[in-house]
Structures are given as structure tokens and as C-alpha cells.
Amino acid sequence: DAGVTQSPTHLIKTRGQQVTLRCSPKSGHDTVSWYQQALGQGPQFIFQYYEEEERQRGNFPDRFSGHQFPNYSSELNVNALLLGDSALYLCASSLGVAVGANVLTFGAGSRLTVL
Amino acid sequence: GQSLEQPSEVTAVEGAIVQINCTYQTSGFYGLSWYQQHDGGAPTFLSYNGLDGLEETGRFSSFLSRSDSYGYLLLQELQMKDSASYFCAVRDQRSGNRDDKIIFGKGTRLHILP
């Protein structure tokens, strides 16, 4: 049973560039949430996708955008990269968005370095 | 606003018991979860408390008191492999919003001494 897969695992960009990160949820899951984790910090919620719609959003600027596809996979796009965007980007999948959907399954993350 | 507070670091000896506390403040609340993350790894789910009381899963137990907005993770018979960061997380729902999200604390780094 495949878990959550993310790509790429590592990437280096320069300021001002754009990046796209990809995520395939665990088999049977239909909801994808994206988190940003700086070194030594907890995951910060970026947004959540369900039924191909953005359902919830954290305190991130519009430079951060996403998409969910009919097969439940998802992309995270970040435009006009800043040095402060350097972090581990985690994708987490779950089943549904109701109160009972309390368990997140995380991917190994995409480590983004902005120079 | 939303906030979760947990100690930044805890040190314990192999074979001992350690408790990691978490206090939270959210606009809505639907349960407290705990996740473990080893260096370079992904967070993995450990436990969930939706109601007050103690939940036990092997060497790990988790407690919740909704009236105190407080919970803890208890690790028994500590092993070196338990050295990791531990995050409490709450499901938060805003009034009038049809959906909710899970937000995380900053994490507690657990050091195990031989």
C-alpha cells in the first residue's frame, strides 16, 4: 500500500524564481493538506484541498497557490521565491474533511533551498 | 487566535518515563493529536484524543482535559529510538466555516540518555 509520495525530494532555486511541488496521496485518501516546516519548527498549515477546491488556507501570501487533480494528487506552486521560503514542504493526506478525519499521513517532504 | 504551547526540549534516561505537555488555544476544538518526527523523516501519527481521558497504545499514552485546554503524551520504557521531535496538533474549526484544519505546535525535542 503506497503511502504519500512527494517530488522532488530536494531542489535549489534562486530568488524570484517559481517552483512546483507535487504530491500523490495515500491510496484511498481524497484530501491533501500542505505544510511548511522551517528547521526546528512545527509544520505550518498552508492550505487544504478537497474535491479539487481549496477548502482552508493558513496565513500565507497569494504567492503560494495550489491545485488538486481528479485523481486526488496535488501541486503546490510558489511564485517570486524569497530566501525565507527555504523550508521542508510537507504534503499530508487524509480521508474527508469532516470532524472524524483526524489522522494525517505525511510524505517525506520536498526540501526547498532558495539562494 | 490559535496557539499551542509545548516545551522545546525534554531529556530523559533510557528505560524511564517521560511526559510531554501541551496547552492549546483555538477558536474551535475537535481533538488533540500527537505526531512523532525523527530527524530527516516525515511526521507520523501516534495518537488522538477526542474526549477527556487517557488513551493507551503500547508504550505510549495520551491524555486530554478539554476544560483545561491541556493534554500530554506519556512515553514509558524509553528506548534510544524514541529520540525524536514530538508535536501536539489540534483540529481547529472557525465558526461558519464548513471545514477545518489541523494545526501543529512547535514541537518538543526529546533527548534520550543511555
PDB file of all heavy atoms in Angstrom, chain B residues 55-79:
ATOM      1  N   GLU B  55      -5.788   7.679  26.603  1.00  0.00           N
ATOM      2  CA  GLU B  55      -5.767   6.688  25.535  1.00  0.00           C
ATOM      3  C   GLU B  55      -4.411   6.006  25.564  1.00  0.00           C
ATOM      4  O   GLU B  55      -3.389   6.677  25.608  1.00  0.00           O
ATOM      5  CB  GLU B  55      -5.978   7.359  24.173  1.00  0.00           C
ATOM      6  CG  GLU B  55      -7.341   7.983  23.965  1.00  0.00           C
ATOM      7  CD  GLU B  55      -8.422   6.947  23.737  1.00  0.00           C
ATOM      8  OE1 GLU B  55      -8.080   5.812  23.354  1.00  0.00           O
ATOM      9  OE2 GLU B  55      -9.609   7.266  23.958  1.00  0.00           O
ATOM     10  N   GLU B  56      -4.402   4.680  25.520  1.00  0.00           N
ATOM     11  CA  GLU B  56      -3.144   3.952  25.607  1.00  0.00           C
ATOM     12  C   GLU B  56      -2.913   3.139  24.342  1.00  0.00           C
ATOM     13  O   GLU B  56      -3.806   2.449  23.869  1.00  0.00           O
ATOM     14  CB  GLU B  56      -3.158   3.022  26.817  1.00  0.00           C
ATOM     15  CG  GLU B  56      -3.303   3.757  28.148  1.00  0.00           C
ATOM     16  CD  GLU B  56      -3.296   2.833  29.345  1.00  0.00           C
ATOM     17  OE1 GLU B  56      -2.242   2.254  29.633  1.00  0.00           O
ATOM     18  OE2 GLU B  56      -4.356   2.684  29.980  1.00  0.00           O
ATOM     19  N   THR B  57      -1.671   3.264  23.840  1.00  0.00           N
ATOM     20  CA  THR B  57      -1.270   2.492  22.664  1.00  0.00           C
ATOM     21  C   THR B  57       0.138   1.988  22.917  1.00  0.00           C
ATOM     22  O   THR B  57       1.112   2.688  22.661  1.00  0.00           O
ATOM     23  CB  THR B  57      -1.300   3.350  21.392  1.00  0.00           C
ATOM     24  OG1 THR B  57      -2.556   3.982  21.261  1.00  0.00           O
ATOM     25  CG2 THR B  57      -1.037   2.484  20.162  1.00  0.00           C
ATOM     26  N   GLY B  58       0.247   0.782  23.446  1.00  0.00           N
ATOM     27  CA  GLY B  58       1.552   0.219  23.730  1.00  0.00           C
ATOM     28  C   GLY B  58       2.286   1.027  24.783  1.00  0.00           C
ATOM     29  O   GLY B  58       1.753   1.327  25.839  1.00  0.00           O
ATOM     30  N   ARG B  59       3.510   1.439  24.466  1.00  0.00           N
ATOM     31  CA  ARG B  59       4.304   2.206  25.422  1.00  0.00           C
ATOM     32  C   ARG B  59       3.869   3.673  25.499  1.00  0.00           C
ATOM     33  O   ARG B  59       4.304   4.405  26.367  1.00  0.00           O
ATOM     34  CB  ARG B  59       5.782   2.148  25.047  1.00  0.00           C
ATOM     35  CG  ARG B  59       6.400   0.766  25.131  1.00  0.00           C
ATOM     36  CD  ARG B  59       7.907   0.819  24.910  1.00  0.00           C
ATOM     37  NE  ARG B  59       8.268   1.286  23.586  1.00  0.00           N
ATOM     38  CZ  ARG B  59       8.894   2.437  23.337  1.00  0.00           C
ATOM     39  NH1 ARG B  59       9.220   3.250  24.346  1.00  0.00           N
ATOM     40  NH2 ARG B  59       9.219   2.780  22.101  1.00  0.00           N
ATOM     41  N   PHE B  60       3.047   4.097  24.558  1.00  0.00           N
ATOM     42  CA  PHE B  60       2.626   5.488  24.505  1.00  0.00           C
ATOM     43  C   PHE B  60       1.197   5.645  25.024  1.00  0.00           C
ATOM     44  O   PHE B  60       0.323   4.829  24.724  1.00  0.00           O
ATOM     45  CB  PHE B  60       2.700   6.019  23.072  1.00  0.00           C
ATOM     46  CG  PHE B  60       4.090   6.086  22.497  1.00  0.00           C
ATOM     47  CD1 PHE B  60       4.283   6.534  21.197  1.00  0.00           C
ATOM     48  CD2 PHE B  60       5.200   5.720  23.230  1.00  0.00           C
ATOM     49  CE1 PHE B  60       5.556   6.604  20.652  1.00  0.00           C
ATOM     50  CE2 PHE B  60       6.475   5.792  22.690  1.00  0.00           C
ATOM     51  CZ  PHE B  60       6.659   6.227  21.395  1.00  0.00           C
ATOM     52  N   SER B  61       0.976   6.708  25.782  1.00  0.00           N
ATOM     53  CA  SER B  61      -0.364   7.067  26.244  1.00  0.00           C
ATOM     54  C   SER B  61      -0.549   8.550  26.013  1.00  0.00           C
ATOM     55  O   SER B  61       0.411   9.320  26.053  1.00  0.00           O
ATOM     56  CB  SER B  61      -0.535   6.769  27.733  1.00  0.00           C
ATOM     57  OG  SER B  61      -0.284   5.416  28.033  1.00  0.00           O
ATOM     58  N   SER B  62      -1.784   8.959  25.790  1.00  0.00           N
ATOM     59  CA  SER B  62      -2.069  10.379  25.621  1.00  0.00           C
ATOM     60  C   SER B  62      -3.297  10.728  26.440  1.00  0.00           C
ATOM     61  O   SER B  62      -4.239   9.941  26.547  1.00  0.00           O
ATOM     62  CB  SER B  62      -2.268  10.736  24.143  1.00  0.00           C
ATOM     63  OG  SER B  62      -3.304   9.958  23.584  1.00  0.00           O
ATOM     64  N   PHE B  63      -3.262  11.928  27.004  1.00  0.00           N
ATOM     65  CA  PHE B  63      -4.325  12.384  27.905  1.00  0.00           C
ATOM     66  C   PHE B  63      -4.866  13.715  27.426  1.00  0.00           C
ATOM     67  O   PHE B  63      -4.128  14.539  26.879  1.00  0.00           O
ATOM     68  CB  PHE B  63      -3.768  12.524  29.326  1.00  0.00           C
ATOM     69  CG  PHE B  63      -4.715  13.164  30.297  1.00  0.00           C
ATOM     70  CD1 PHE B  63      -5.695  12.415  30.927  1.00  0.00           C
ATOM     71  CD2 PHE B  63      -4.636  14.526  30.581  1.00  0.00           C
ATOM     72  CE1 PHE B  63      -6.583  12.997  31.816  1.00  0.00           C
ATOM     73  CE2 PHE B  63      -5.512  15.122  31.468  1.00  0.00           C
ATOM     74  CZ  PHE B  63      -6.488  14.353  32.091  1.00  0.00           C
ATOM     75  N   LEU B  64      -6.142  13.927  27.660  1.00  0.00           N
ATOM     76  CA  LEU B  64      -6.777  15.200  27.296  1.00  0.00           C
ATOM     77  C   LEU B  64      -7.715  15.658  28.403  1.00  0.00           C
ATOM     78  O   LEU B  64      -8.494  14.860  28.947  1.00  0.00           O
ATOM     79  CB  LEU B  64      -7.563  15.051  25.994  1.00  0.00           C
ATOM     80  CG  LEU B  64      -8.406  16.256  25.565  1.00  0.00           C
ATOM     81  CD1 LEU B  64      -7.517  17.452  25.241  1.00  0.00           C
ATOM     82  CD2 LEU B  64      -9.303  15.907  24.388  1.00  0.00           C
ATOM     83  N   SER B  65      -7.646  16.967  28.698  1.00  0.00           N
ATOM     84  CA  SER B  65      -8.618  17.617  29.551  1.00  0.00           C
ATOM     85  C   SER B  65      -9.132  18.843  28.798  1.00  0.00           C
ATOM     86  O   SER B  65      -8.422  19.850  28.688  1.00  0.00           O
ATOM     87  CB  SER B  65      -7.991  18.057  30.886  1.00  0.00           C
ATOM     88  OG  SER B  65      -8.873  18.904  31.601  1.00  0.00           O
ATOM     89  N   ARG B  66     -10.307  18.745  28.240  1.00  0.00           N
ATOM     90  CA  ARG B  66     -10.848  19.848  27.441  1.00  0.00           C
ATOM     91  C   ARG B  66     -11.158  21.073  28.294  1.00  0.00           C
ATOM     92  O   ARG B  66     -11.020  22.220  27.850  1.00  0.00           O
ATOM     93  CB  ARG B  66     -12.097  19.394  26.694  1.00  0.00           C
ATOM     94  CG  ARG B  66     -11.785  18.420  25.551  1.00  0.00           C
ATOM     95  CD  ARG B  66     -13.051  17.906  24.916  1.00  0.00           C
ATOM     96  NE  ARG B  66     -13.797  17.071  25.858  1.00  0.00           N
ATOM     97  CZ  ARG B  66     -15.004  16.586  25.613  1.00  0.00           C
ATOM     98  NH1 ARG B  66     -15.607  16.853  24.465  1.00  0.00           N
ATOM     99  NH2 ARG B  66     -15.611  15.815  26.494  1.00  0.00           N
ATOM    100  N   SER B  67     -11.555  20.870  29.544  1.00  0.00           N
ATOM    101  CA  SER B  67     -11.861  22.011  30.413  1.00  0.00           C
ATOM    102  C   SER B  67     -10.607  22.821  30.724  1.00  0.00           C
ATOM    103  O   SER B  67     -10.683  24.027  30.937  1.00  0.00           O
ATOM    104  CB  SER B  67     -12.519  21.536  31.709  1.00  0.00           C
ATOM    105  OG  SER B  67     -11.653  20.660  32.419  1.00  0.00           O
ATOM    106  N   ASP B  68      -9.456  22.165  30.724  1.00  0.00           N
ATOM    107  CA  ASP B  68      -8.185  22.848  30.994  1.00  0.00           C
ATOM    108  C   ASP B  68      -7.428  23.194  29.719  1.00  0.00           C
ATOM    109  O   ASP B  68      -6.340  23.779  29.792  1.00  0.00           O
ATOM    110  CB  ASP B  68      -7.299  21.971  31.874  1.00  0.00           C
ATOM    111  CG  ASP B  68      -7.890  21.732  33.255  1.00  0.00           C
ATOM    112  OD1 ASP B  68      -8.486  22.680  33.802  1.00  0.00           O
ATOM    113  OD2 ASP B  68      -7.774  20.609  33.774  1.00  0.00           O
ATOM    114  N   SER B  69      -7.969  22.822  28.565  1.00  0.00           N
ATOM    115  CA  SER B  69      -7.280  23.025  27.279  1.00  0.00           C
ATOM    116  C   SER B  69      -5.859  22.487  27.366  1.00  0.00           C
ATOM    117  O   SER B  69      -4.877  23.153  26.996  1.00  0.00           O
ATOM    118  CB  SER B  69      -7.262  24.511  26.902  1.00  0.00           C
ATOM    119  OG  SER B  69      -8.567  24.994  26.728  1.00  0.00           O
ATOM    120  N   TYR B  70      -5.757  21.264  27.818  1.00  0.00           N
ATOM    121  CA  TYR B  70      -4.450  20.685  28.158  1.00  0.00           C
ATOM    122  C   TYR B  70      -4.429  19.209  27.799  1.00  0.00           C
ATOM    123  O   TYR B  70      -5.420  18.492  27.943  1.00  0.00           O
ATOM    124  CB  TYR B  70      -4.207  20.877  29.649  1.00  0.00           C
ATOM    125  CG  TYR B  70      -3.137  20.007  30.259  1.00  0.00           C
ATOM    126  CD1 TYR B  70      -1.793  20.319  30.080  1.00  0.00           C
ATOM    127  CD2 TYR B  70      -3.465  18.901  31.028  1.00  0.00           C
ATOM    128  CE1 TYR B  70      -0.806  19.530  30.649  1.00  0.00           C
ATOM    129  CE2 TYR B  70      -2.491  18.107  31.600  1.00  0.00           C
ATOM    130  CZ  TYR B  70      -1.164  18.417  31.415  1.00  0.00           C
ATOM    131  OH  TYR B  70      -0.188  17.637  31.969  1.00  0.00           O
ATOM    132  N   GLY B  71      -3.280  18.779  27.359  1.00  0.00           N
ATOM    133  CA  GLY B  71      -3.077  17.371  27.112  1.00  0.00           C
ATOM    134  C   GLY B  71      -1.623  17.007  27.300  1.00  0.00           C
ATOM    135  O   GLY B  71      -0.754  17.883  27.441  1.00  0.00           O
ATOM    136  N   TYR B  72      -1.348  15.719  27.350  1.00  0.00           N
ATOM    137  CA  TYR B  72       0.053  15.294  27.424  1.00  0.00           C
ATOM    138  C   TYR B  72       0.230  13.962  26.730  1.00  0.00           C
ATOM    139  O   TYR B  72      -0.711  13.183  26.566  1.00  0.00           O
ATOM    140  CB  TYR B  72       0.564  15.249  28.869  1.00  0.00           C
ATOM    141  CG  TYR B  72      -0.075  14.214  29.778  1.00  0.00           C
ATOM    142  CD1 TYR B  72       0.190  12.850  29.654  1.00  0.00           C
ATOM    143  CD2 TYR B  72      -0.927  14.617  30.813  1.00  0.00           C
ATOM    144  CE1 TYR B  72      -0.384  11.923  30.497  1.00  0.00           C
ATOM    145  CE2 TYR B  72      -1.508  13.695  31.664  1.00  0.00           C
ATOM    146  CZ  TYR B  72      -1.231  12.352  31.514  1.00  0.00           C
ATOM    147  OH  TYR B  72      -1.807  11.430  32.349  1.00  0.00           O
ATOM    148  N   LEU B  73       1.472  13.727  26.357  1.00  0.00           N
ATOM    149  CA  LEU B  73       1.901  12.452  25.793  1.00  0.00           C
ATOM    150  C   LEU B  73       2.837  11.813  26.803  1.00  0.00           C
ATOM    151  O   LEU B  73       3.770  12.459  27.279  1.00  0.00           O
ATOM    152  CB  LEU B  73       2.618  12.663  24.459  1.00  0.00           C
ATOM    153  CG  LEU B  73       3.161  11.418  23.772  1.00  0.00           C
ATOM    154  CD1 LEU B  73       2.013  10.540  23.262  1.00  0.00           C
ATOM    155  CD2 LEU B  73       4.084  11.802  22.618  1.00  0.00           C
ATOM    156  N   LEU B  74       2.576  10.559  27.138  1.00  0.00           N
ATOM    157  CA  LEU B  74       3.393   9.838  28.104  1.00  0.00           C
ATOM    158  C   LEU B  74       4.106   8.700  27.386  1.00  0.00           C
ATOM    159  O   LEU B  74       3.452   7.881  26.725  1.00  0.00           O
ATOM    160  CB  LEU B  74       2.508   9.286  29.231  1.00  0.00           C
ATOM    161  CG  LEU B  74       3.212   8.719  30.450  1.00  0.00           C
ATOM    162  CD1 LEU B  74       3.809   9.856  31.282  1.00  0.00           C
ATOM    163  CD2 LEU B  74       2.244   7.901  31.302  1.00  0.00           C
ATOM    164  N   LEU B  75       5.402   8.669  27.491  1.00  0.00           N
ATOM    165  CA  LEU B  75       6.192   7.607  26.882  1.00  0.00           C
ATOM    166  C   LEU B  75       6.839   6.790  27.996  1.00  0.00           C
ATOM    167  O   LEU B  75       7.567   7.323  28.831  1.00  0.00           O
ATOM    168  CB  LEU B  75       7.283   8.166  25.972  1.00  0.00           C
ATOM    169  CG  LEU B  75       6.839   8.956  24.737  1.00  0.00           C
ATOM    170  CD1 LEU B  75       6.509  10.399  25.072  1.00  0.00           C
ATOM    171  CD2 LEU B  75       7.924   8.896  23.667  1.00  0.00           C
ATOM    172  N   GLN B  76       6.587   5.494  27.981  1.00  0.00           N
ATOM    173  CA  GLN B  76       7.130   4.618  29.008  1.00  0.00           C
ATOM    174  C   GLN B  76       8.230   3.726  28.433  1.00  0.00           C
ATOM    175  O   GLN B  76       8.321   3.540  27.220  1.00  0.00           O
ATOM    176  CB  GLN B  76       6.008   3.740  29.592  1.00  0.00           C
ATOM    177  CG  GLN B  76       4.841   4.548  30.148  1.00  0.00           C
ATOM    178  CD  GLN B  76       3.742   3.683  30.722  1.00  0.00           C
ATOM    179  OE1 GLN B  76       3.912   3.082  31.785  1.00  0.00           O
ATOM    180  NE2 GLN B  76       2.619   3.600  30.055  1.00  0.00           N
ATOM    181  N   GLU B  77       9.029   3.195  29.343  1.00  0.00           N
ATOM    182  CA  GLU B  77      10.118   2.276  28.953  1.00  0.00           C
ATOM    183  C   GLU B  77      10.897   2.852  27.767  1.00  0.00           C
ATOM    184  O   GLU B  77      11.026   2.218  26.720  1.00  0.00           O
ATOM    185  CB  GLU B  77       9.546   0.908  28.606  1.00  0.00           C
ATOM    186  CG  GLU B  77       8.786   0.258  29.748  1.00  0.00           C
ATOM    187  CD  GLU B  77       8.086  -1.031  29.332  1.00  0.00           C
ATOM    188  OE1 GLU B  77       8.427  -1.586  28.258  1.00  0.00           O
ATOM    189  OE2 GLU B  77       7.190  -1.480  30.055  1.00  0.00           O
ATOM    190  N   LEU B  78      11.380   4.063  27.953  1.00  0.00           N
ATOM    191  CA  LEU B  78      12.028   4.784  26.862  1.00  0.00           C
ATOM    192  C   LEU B  78      13.155   3.979  26.220  1.00  0.00           C
ATOM    193  O   LEU B  78      13.957   3.331  26.892  1.00  0.00           O
ATOM    194  CB  LEU B  78      12.581   6.107  27.364  1.00  0.00           C
ATOM    195  CG  LEU B  78      11.549   7.196  27.639  1.00  0.00           C
ATOM    196  CD1 LEU B  78      12.200   8.380  28.340  1.00  0.00           C
ATOM    197  CD2 LEU B  78      10.872   7.632  26.354  1.00  0.00           C
ATOM    198  N   GLN B  79      13.200   4.068  24.893  1.00  0.00           N
ATOM    199  CA  GLN B  79      14.241   3.428  24.117  1.00  0.00           C
ATOM    200  C   GLN B  79      14.978   4.498  23.320  1.00  0.00           C
ATOM    201  O   GLN B  79      14.438   5.576  23.063  1.00  0.00           O
ATOM    202  CB  GLN B  79      13.627   2.383  23.173  1.00  0.00           C
ATOM    203  CG  GLN B  79      12.825   1.312  23.884  1.00  0.00           C
ATOM    204  CD  GLN B  79      12.120   0.357  22.936  1.00  0.00           C
ATOM    205  OE1 GLN B  79      12.348   0.360  21.735  1.00  0.00           O
ATOM    206  NE2 GLN B  79      11.251  -0.488  23.496  1.00  0.00           N
TER     207      GLN B  79
END
